[in-house]
C-alpha cells in the first residue's frame, strides 16, 4: 500500500470557519415566512387521568391560531426510537403524541400555536385541566411488586422487557471457583447536555406534503417515525438535512414530541410551525437510564473467571422508548461480552415507573455495565492480590479470535493487550504495594478501567438498521461534492468522510465539499449518527462512491491520454500513467472533457469527442458494512481525594484506544477529551434529581445540574492511539466515539478506592458520599 | 407596552421596539437576526449567549434589553477584521477547539474579554476565565489551547 496522502494527517474542519463567525447552519436558526410558534402544556402530575380539558379561553386569546388537544391527535401507539423499524418486535410501542393519561411530570398534554412564543406561552395558562390522580411509583424495584400501581395496562409488574441469556453451566462454574464475589452497583439518571436545544420547524403545504427541519441525529428515522405517527406515506414527508447541529450524543435519537405536534398544528393552521424546547424541557425529554446491577462472580485463585451472573434493573420511566434496546446493549456490551467466561447468565428488567423517559446517550447501556464490572474486577484483584492489568490480560480475547457477538466474523483487528501495556507504560503504572502514600489529608490514588469489546455500528444486532450510502460528484475545477445522509453532530465526521473521499480520489481534503443541501429525497438511506458507526460504516460507503467516481474518471482520462485506465492513477489532483507523474492531466480537465459538448470547435475546425466519455463523473454507493469490528480501550487515571471535604480532583487521565487506522488525529483527540468530560461528570457530579413526593424535576437548569467546567477538568487528557489495521474498514479504520465515555467512571471509582481504601458503588461519587464512606458523615 | 431602545451592535446603531421583558438575547437573535449569540438555557447557566456589553462579557439572556439603552454590544459577528477572521477566531479553527460549535461564539466572546488587557495568561487563569461557559464536546482542552496560543503570539 502506498503512503497515505490525507489519511492520518490532521485536517481542519471546514464548518469551523462558519461556526466561529456565528454559525448560520443550525436548525435553531431556521425560519420560514409566516411561521407560527408553538408551546407545549405539560402535566403537573406524575400519574393521572385527564377528566376535563378546556381550551376555550386559550383559543380566544388574540394571536392564538390553533390549540391541539389529545382528542385532535392520532391515538396510534408508537416507539420513537429512530434506528429500528417502527413496528420492530424487539421494541415496545407504548407512546402517543398526546394522551389523556399522563405517566410522568412533564408529559405533553396540549399545545398552542400562536404568532409569537410569548402569546403561545400565555395561552397555556388559560387551558383548564382537571385530573383524576392515580397512584404513583418512582422506584423500579417497588414497581415490580405485585401490589404496585399499573403504569401501562396489560403489563404485569410493570416489566416492559425481560431479556435473559444463559451460556454454559453457571452452577458448575461457581462450584469450580475459589472465590465468589457479590456486589450491587447503582448508576444515576444523567442528561447528554447537548447545547443546542431540540428544535424543529414543520411546514405542511396545501397538498399535505410535510417538510421538516429539526435538530436530530437521523434524517430517515425522523421521516419514518413521523410518517407512521401521522399515518401518511413516507414519501410525503421530506426531512431536510441540517448542515450541522449543536450536539446530540444520543439525546436526539428518537422522534421528539415536538415534530408530530408541530406537524399537527401546521395541518390545522396551514402555516409553518416552530417549536423550541426550553432547557427544562430538554432535561426531562431524554436521559441515560439508571441501572442497578447485581453481580455474582466466581474466579479461581489464579484470577480466571469461572462463572459470571448479572442481573440488571433498568428504570425506563413512563414509556419504554430506548429502554427496551438499552437493556440488551447493556447486557451484552456492558457485561456478557466484556470478558470471556464459559459459564455466564445475565438477565435484565426494563421497568416502567412514573419517572421521566430515558433516551440514548454515548455508550447506550455500557457505562452502567462497565461501572459494575470494572469496579468488581478491582475488588477481585484486591482480594486475590493480583495486578488489575494482569487479571484483565488473563481474561481477554486476542486478535484472530471469533467475534463473540457475531460468530461469523473474527476479531480481525484487535489490540486490547497493547492498549493496557502502552497505556500503563505512558501512565507509569506501578503495582499497588509499590505505590508511595502520603500522610496528609489529601490522598492520591490511581485506577484503571477498560472497555474490551465495543462496536463499529450495529451490524448483527436484531432489528437495527445498518447501511450507508453516498454520492460523489466531480466538478470541472477538480473538486468533489460529497452527499451523505449522516448528520455531523459535532464529532467531525464530515471532515473524516471528506478525508476518506479525498484519499480515494487522489485529491486534497480541501477539494472535497460536503453538500449543504440534502434531504430524504436526494441522498441514499443511512442509519443514524450513533453507535460509533459513521467512520466505519459511512466511511466504507463514501469510499465505495469515490471508487466508482474514480473508475469513471480513469475511463475518460484513458481516452484523453490514450492509455488503458488500468494503468492510470490519481495523485495530488492529477491523473497520470502509474510511475510517470509528470505526464498527466488534471482531474478538472478530465471532468471538463466529460461534460463538454460532443463536438468542440477548435483552431482546426470542429472536432468530435466520443459518446463513451460523455456525462457527469459521479459515483454512488449504498451498502452494508462487511463486519462489525470491535475497538478496545483502556484508561488510567490519578485522583486526589480531600479527606476533609470529600472532593475528588482528577490529576491525570491517559486513554489508550485501538481504533484501527487513525484518520484525523486532531479530531480523534477532541472526541476523547470531550468523552472524558462526559464520563467524569457521570463519575463525580451529574445527576438529574426529582422530588420524591411529586416527581417534579429539581435540576431543570445548569445551575442545579452540574457538569464539569474547564476548571474541574484535568489539565491535560492524554490519548494514545493504537493503530491496528481493520481489513474491512475504510483504509483500515474502525471506531472510537463511545468507549471514552464508558470507562472514566469505573477508572475514577477504582482510583478513589486506591486513595482512601473505601469502595463507593453508587454514582456519582459526590463529596457527601466520600465523607460518608470515610465515616465522617451519615449516609443519606 | 413596547418601548424604543437604542443600542449599537457591532458598530451599527439600531432603534428597536421591545417589551420590557425582552432580553438582549431575544433582541439580538429575533429582532436583529444575529445568529452568533446562542440560546442554550435562557437562564444564565451555559454561556452560549455571551456577548460584550460595553466591553464586558455578559450572558445576554440575563440582560433586559431596556437596561442596555445607549450601550455598545459586540457579538461574534463583529469580530472579523477586514472580512477576515480575527486571530482568536482563527486560533479556534486551527486548534480544533470547535466541534458542534454551539458554545463557540459565547466562548470566543468570553475569551475576547479575557485577552483584552494584554496580560499573559496561564492555563489556570484561562480555565477560570471561561468557567462560565459550558462545552459538552471538547473537554475544553483545545479551547484552552486556542486562547493560550493567542495570548502567547501577540
Amino acid at each position: 500500500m502506498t503512503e497515505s496522502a490525507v489519511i492520518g494527517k490532521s485536517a481542519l474542519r471546514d464548518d469551523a470557519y462558519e461556526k466561529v463567525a456565528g454559525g448560520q447552519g443550525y436548525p435553531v436558526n431556521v425560519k420560514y415566512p409566516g411561521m407560527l410558534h408553538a408551546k407545549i402544556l405539560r402535566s403537573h402530575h406524575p400519574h393521572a387521568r385527564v377528566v376535563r380539558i378546556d381550551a376555550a379561553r386559550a383559543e380566544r386569546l388574540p394571536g392564538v391560531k390553533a390549540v391541539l388537544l389529545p382528542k385532535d391527535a392520532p391515538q396510534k401507539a408508537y416507539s420513537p426510537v429512530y434506528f429500528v423499524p417502527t413496528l420492530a418486535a424487539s421494541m415496545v410501542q407504548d407512546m402517543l403524541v398526546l394522551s389523556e393519561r399522563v405517566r410522568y411530570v412533564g408529559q405533553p398534554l396540549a399545545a398552542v400555536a400562536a404568532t409569537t412564543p410569548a402569546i403561545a406561552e400565555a395561552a397555556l395558562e388559560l387551558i383548564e385541566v382537571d385530573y383524576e390522580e392515580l397512584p404513583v411509583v418512582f422506584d423500579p424495584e417497588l414497581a415490580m411488586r405485585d401490589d404496585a400501581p399499573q403504569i401501562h395496562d396489560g403489563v404485569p409488574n410493570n416489566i416492559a422487557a425481560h431479556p435473559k441469556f444463559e451460556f454454559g453451566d453457571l452452577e458448575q462454574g461457581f462450584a469450580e471457583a475459589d472465590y465468589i464475589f457479590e456486589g450491587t452497583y447503582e448508576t444515576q439518571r444523567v442528561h447528554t447536555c447537548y447545547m443546542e436545544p431540540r428544535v424543529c420547524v414543520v411546514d405542511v403545504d396545501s397538498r399535505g406534503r410535510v417538510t421538516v427541519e429539526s435538530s436530530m441525529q437521523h434524517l430517515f428515522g425522523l421521516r419514518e417515525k413521523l410518517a407512521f405517527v401521522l399515518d401518511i406515506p413516507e414519501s410525503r414527508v421530506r426531512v431536510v438535512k441540517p448542515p450541522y447541529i449543536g450536539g446530540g450524543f444520543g439525546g436526539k435519537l428518537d422522534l421528539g414530541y415536538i415534530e408530530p405536534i408541530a406537524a399537527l398544528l401546521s395541518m390545522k393552521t396551514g402555516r409553518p410551525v416552530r417549536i423550541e424546547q426550553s432547557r427544562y424541557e430538554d432535561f426531562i425529554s431524554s436521559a441515560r437510564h439508571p441501572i442497578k446491577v447485581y453481580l455474582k462472580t466466581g474466579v479461581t485463585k489464579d484470577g480466571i473467571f469461572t462463572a459470571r451472573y448479572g442481573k440488571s434493573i433498568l428504570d425506563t420511566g413512563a414509556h419504554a422508548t430506548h429502554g427496551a434496546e438499552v437493556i440488551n446493549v447493556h447486557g451484552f456490551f456492558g457485561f456478557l461480552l466484556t470478558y470471556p467466561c464459559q459459564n455466564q447468565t445475565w438477565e435484565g428488567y426494563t421497568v416502567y415507573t412514573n419517572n421521566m423517559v430515558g433516551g440514548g446517550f454515548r455508550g447506550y447501556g455500557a457505562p452502567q455495565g462497565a461501572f459494575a464490572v470494572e469496579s468488581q474486577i478491582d475488588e477481585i484483584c484486591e482480594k486475590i492480590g493480583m495486578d488489575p492489568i494482569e487479571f484483565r490480560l488473563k481474561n481477554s480475547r486476542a486478535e484472530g479470535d471469533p467475534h463473540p457477538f457475531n460468530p461469523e466474523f473474527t476479531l480481525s483487528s484487535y489490540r486490547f493487550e497493547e492498549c493496557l501495556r502502552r497505556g500503563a507504560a505512558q501512565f507509569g503504572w506501578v503495582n499497588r504495594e509499590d505505590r508511595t502514600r502520603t500522610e496528609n489529608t489529601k490522598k492520591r490514588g490511581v485506577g484503571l478501567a477498560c472497555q474490551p469489546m465495543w462496536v463499529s455500528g450495529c451490524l448483527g444486532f436484531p432489528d437495527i438498521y445498518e447501511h450507508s450510502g453516498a454520492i460523489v460528484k466531480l466538478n470541472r475545477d477538480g473538486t468533489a461534492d460529497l452527499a451523505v445522509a449522516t448528520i455531523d453532530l459535532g464529532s467531525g465526521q464530515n471532515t473524516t468522510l471528506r478525508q476518506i473521499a479525498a484519499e480515494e480520489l487522489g485529491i486534497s481534503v480541501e477539494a472535497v465539499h460536503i453538500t449543504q443541501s440534502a434531504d430524504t429525497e436526494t441522498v441514499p438511506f443511512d442509519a443514524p449518527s450513533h453507535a460509533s458507526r459513521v467512520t466505519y460504516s459511512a466511511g466504507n460507503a463514501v469510499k465505495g462512491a469515490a471508487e466508482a467516481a474514480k473508475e469513471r474518471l480513469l475511463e475518460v482520462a484513458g481516452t484523453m491520454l490514450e492509455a488503458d485506465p488500468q494503468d492510470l492513477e490519481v495523485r495530488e489532483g492529477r491523473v497520470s500513467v502509474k510511475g510517470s507523474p509528470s505526464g498527466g492531466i488534471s482531474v478538472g480537465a478530465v471532468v471538463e472533457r466529460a461534460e463538454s459538448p460532443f463536438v468542440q470547435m477548435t483552431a482546426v475546425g470542429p472536432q468530435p469527442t466520443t459518446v463513451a466519455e460523455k456525462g457527469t463523473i459521479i459515483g454512488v454507493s449504498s451498502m452494508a458494512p462487511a463486519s462489525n469490528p470491535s475497538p478496545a480501550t483502556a484508561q488510567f487515571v490519578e485522583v486526589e481525594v480531600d479527606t476533609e471535604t470529600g472532593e475528588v480532583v482528577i490529576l491525570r487521565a491517559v486513554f489508550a484506544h485501538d481504533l484501527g487506522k487513525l484518520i484525523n488525529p486532531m479530531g480523534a483527540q477532541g472526541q476523547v477529551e470531550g468523552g472524558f468530560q462526559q464520563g467524569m461528570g457521570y463519575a463525580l457530579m451529574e445527576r438529574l434529581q426529582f422530588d420524591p413526593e411529586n416527581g417534579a424535576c429539581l435540576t431543570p437548569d445548569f445551575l442545579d445540574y452540574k457538569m464539569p467546567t474547564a476548571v474541574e477538568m484535568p489539565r491535560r487528557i492524554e490519548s494514545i492511539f493504537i493503530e491496528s489495521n481493520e481489513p474491512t474498514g475504510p483504509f483500515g479504520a474502525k471506531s472510537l466515539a463511545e468507549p471514552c465515555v464508558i470507562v472514566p467512571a469505573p477508572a475514577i471509582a477504582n482510583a478513589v478506592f486506591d486513595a482512601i481504601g473505601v469502595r463507593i458503588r453508587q454514582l456519582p461519587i459526590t463529596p457527601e458520599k466520600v465523607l460518608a464512606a470515610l465515616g465522617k458523615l451519615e449516609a443519606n | 407596552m413596547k418601548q424604543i431602545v437604542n443600542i449599537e451592535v457591532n458598530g451599527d446603531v439600531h432603534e428597536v421596539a421591545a417589551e420590557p421583558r425582552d432580553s438582549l438575547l431575544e433582541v439580538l437573535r429575533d429582532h436583529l437576526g444575529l445568529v452568533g449569540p446562542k440560546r442554550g438555557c435562557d437562564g444564565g447557566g451555559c454561556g452560549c449567549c455571551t456577548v460584550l456589553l460595553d466591553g464586558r462579557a455578559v450572558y445576554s439572556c440575563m440582560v433586559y434589553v431596556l437596561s442596555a439603552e445607549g450601550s455598545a454590544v459586540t457579538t461574534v459577528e463583529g469580530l472579523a477584521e477586514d472580512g477576515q477572521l480575527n486571530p482568536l477566531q482563527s486560533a479556534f479553527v486551527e486548534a480544533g477547539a470547535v466541534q458542534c460549535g454551539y458554545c463557540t461564539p459565547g466562548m470566543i466572546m468570553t475569551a475576547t474579554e479575557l485577552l483584552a488587557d494584554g496580560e499573559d495568561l496561564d492555563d489556570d487563569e484561562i480555565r477560570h476565565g471561561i468557567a462560565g461557559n459550558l462545552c459538552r464536546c471538547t473537554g475544553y482542552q483545545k479551547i484552552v489551547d486556542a486562547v493560550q496560543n493567542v495570548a502567547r503570539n501577540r
Side-chain angles (χ1 to χ4, degrees), chain A residues 183-397:
Chain A
T184 300
Y185 305 84
E186 293 179 59
T187 57
Q188 77 282 28
R189 189 178 268 106
V190 291
H191 194 264
T192 53
C193 296
Y194 45 73
M195 283 291 136
E196 181 185 35
R198 289 185 81 141
V199 59
C200 71
V201 180
V202 183
D203 184 22
V204 185
D205 73 13
S206 57
R207 297 168 61 215
R209 289 187 60 85
V210 181
T211 300
V212 189
E213 306 211 25
S214 170
S215 185
M216 46 77 203
Q217 296 179 222
H218 192 204
L219 219 54
F220 285 91
L222 175 51
R223 181 178 78 163
E224 178 182 331
K225 299 296 171 292
L226 187 60
F228 177 84
V229 169
L230 299 176
D231 204 13
I232 58 176
E234 274 185 14
S235 61
R236 295 181 81 83
V237 178
R238 181 172 78 96
V239 181
V240 177
K241 181 184 171 184
Y244 37 79
I245 68 169
F249 316 114
K252 297 172 179 172
L253 259 182
D254 42 54
L255 184 69
Y257 283 100
I258 58 173
E259 291 94 353
I261 287 173
L264 293 164
L265 285 167
S266 181
M267 286 173 182
K268 270 193 138 185
T269 58
R271 291 168 68 170
V273 175
R274 178 179 189 274
I275 305 181
E276 177 181 334
Q277 290 196 162
S278 68
R279 186 51 63 173
Y280 159 69
E281 290 177 299
D282 278 314
F283 270 127
I284 59 156
S285 296
S286 175
R288 178 181 291 149
H289 302 83
I291 304 182
K292 187 173 180 177
V293 183
Y294 164 75
L295 297 182
K296 182 179 176 186
T297 306
V299 293
T300 66
K301 58 184 187 315
D302 302 326
I304 303 292
F305 285 120
T306 61
R308 298 176 76 211
Y309 171 75
K311 177 180 166 182
S312 303
I313 297 174
L314 177 151
D315 177 359
T316 200
H319 297 281
T321 68
H322 292 262
E325 182 61 34
V326 167
I327 193 71
N328 286 307
V329 176
H330 165 78
F332 278 93
F333 288 90
F335 178 73
L336 289 165
L337 305 181
T338 51
Y339 297 94
C341 175
Q342 291 295 318
N343 309 303
Q344 297 197 99
T345 296
W346 170 82
E347 56 188 319
Y349 295 86
T350 293
V351 183
Y352 288 126
T353 63
N354 292 114
N355 294 314
M356 64 171 283
V357 296
F361 192 162
R362 281 168 93 179
Y364 209 76
Q368 300 94 318
F371 175 62
V373 168
E374 297 290 310
S375 291
Q376 195 188 48
I377 287 178
D378 226 50
E379 294 174 44
I380 293 168
C381 292
E382 175 71 16
K383 172 81 179 174
I384 68 175
M386 184 175 283
D387 183 78
I389 295 175
E390 188 190 345
F391 182 91
R392 285 173 172 84
L393 290 178
K394 280 189 166 193
N395 290 283
S396 63
R397 297 182 178 83

Side-chain angles (χ1 to χ4, degrees), chain A residues 34-41 55 57-69 72 98 110-124 127 202 258 260-276:
Chain A
M35 181 173 85
L36 299 172
H37 301 267
K39 294 280 181 183
I40 295 170
L41 179 70
R57 288 175 63 212
E59 281 168 343
R60 288 198 297 271
L61 187 72
V64 169
K65 297 297 175 187
V67 176
L68 194 73
L69 299 178
D72 306 317
L98 295 175
V112 175
T115 50
T116 70
I119 294 171
E121 189 92 55
L124 296 183
I127 300 175
V202 183
I258 58 173
I261 287 173
L264 293 164
L265 285 167
S266 181
M267 286 173 182
K268 270 193 138 185
T269 58
R271 291 168 68 170
V273 175
R274 178 179 189 274
I275 305 181
E276 177 181 334

Side-chain angles (χ1 to χ4, degrees), chain A residues 13 19-20 22 26 29 118 191-192 195 276 279 489-490 669-670 673-674 677-678 686 708-710 715-716, chain B residues 21 29 35 38-40 45 76 89 98-102 123-124 127 135-142 145:
Chain A
R13 311 168 55 119
K19 288 170 174 176
V20 297
Y26 299 97
N29 296 329
H191 194 264
T192 53
M195 283 291 136
E276 177 181 334
R279 186 51 63 173
L489 317 180
Q669 286 165 14
E673 289 158 7
Q677 189 234 31
Q678 297 180 3
E686 298 180 31
T709 72
R715 290 306 175 254
R716 191 148 295 274
Chain B
R21 62 175 242 168
R29 284 189 64 84
V35 297
K38 300 290 195 299
R39 191 180 287 115
V76 80
Q89 290 172 301
V98 180
Q99 288 192 34
C100 95
Y102 204 77
D123 188 278
D124 250 25
R127 286 175 182 273
C135 170
R136 193 57 150 176
C137 296
T138 65
Y140 307 100
Q141 182 68 61
K142 297 192 186 322
D145 291 347

Side-chain angles (χ1 to χ4, degrees), chain A residues 115 397 430 533 568 638 644 763:
Chain A
T115 50
R397 297 182 178 83
V430 290
R533 68 175 291 277
L568 298 177
E638 181 176 15
E644 292 189 317
L763 294 181

Side-chain angles (χ1 to χ4, degrees), chain A residues 310-545:
Chain A
K311 177 180 166 182
S312 303
I313 297 174
L314 177 151
D315 177 359
T316 200
H319 297 281
T321 68
H322 292 262
E325 182 61 34
V326 167
I327 193 71
N328 286 307
V329 176
H330 165 78
F332 278 93
F333 288 90
F335 178 73
L336 289 165
L337 305 181
T338 51
Y339 297 94
C341 175
Q342 291 295 318
N343 309 303
Q344 297 197 99
T345 296
W346 170 82
E347 56 188 319
Y349 295 86
T350 293
V351 183
Y352 288 126
T353 63
N354 292 114
N355 294 314
M356 64 171 283
V357 296
F361 192 162
R362 281 168 93 179
Y364 209 76
Q368 300 94 318
F371 175 62
V373 168
E374 297 290 310
S375 291
Q376 195 188 48
I377 287 178
D378 226 50
E379 294 174 44
I380 293 168
C381 292
E382 175 71 16
K383 172 81 179 174
I384 68 175
M386 184 175 283
D387 183 78
I389 295 175
E390 188 190 345
F391 182 91
R392 285 173 172 84
L393 290 178
K394 280 189 166 193
N395 290 283
S396 63
R397 297 182 178 83
E399 196 163 85
D401 284 357
H403 192 297
F405 189 70
N406 294 297
E408 65 270 39
F409 307 135
T410 57
L411 294 174
S412 39
S413 61
Y414 188 67
R415 302 284 169 83
F416 180 52
E417 179 173 355
E418 211 176 324
C419 290
L420 275 162
R421 299 236 185 263
R422 283 181 55 191
Q426 178 155 328
F427 186 79
W429 182 265
V430 290
N431 290 333
R432 182 172 166 77
E433 56 271 22
D434 299 331
R435 283 174 215 149
T436 50
R437 301 287 171 184
T438 54
E439 290 305 315
N440 63 22
T441 57
K442 291 187 176 181
K443 305 288 186 193
R444 290 191 175 190
V446 296
L448 73 91
C450 300
Q451 183 63 21
M453 298 299 300
W454 189 241
V455 299
S456 302
C458 295
L459 197 78
F461 286 61
D463 280 344
I464 300 188
Y465 292 122
E466 185 55 76
H467 66 280
S468 279
I471 302 170
V472 169
K473 183 163 71 69
L474 298 188
N475 296 313
R476 284 181 270 191
D477 57 6
T479 64
D481 293 321
L482 170 61
V484 290
T486 54
I487 298 159
D488 194 331
L489 317 180
S491 60
Q493 62 168 61
N494 279 357
T495 310
T496 306
L497 297 179
R498 285 167 58 223
Q499 287 178 277
I500 290 169
E503 182 73 37
E504 182 59 37
L505 290 167
I507 60 180
S508 71
V509 64
E510 291 77 19
V512 181
H513 167 72
I514 300 250
T515 58
Q516 298 294 292
S517 51
D519 60 35
T520 44
E521 296 175 356
T522 58
V523 283
F525 178 92
D526 219 306
S529 302
H530 79 144
S532 307
R533 68 175 291 277
V534 174
T535 297
Y536 178 72
S537 189
N540 268 323
V542 166
K543 187 166 184 288

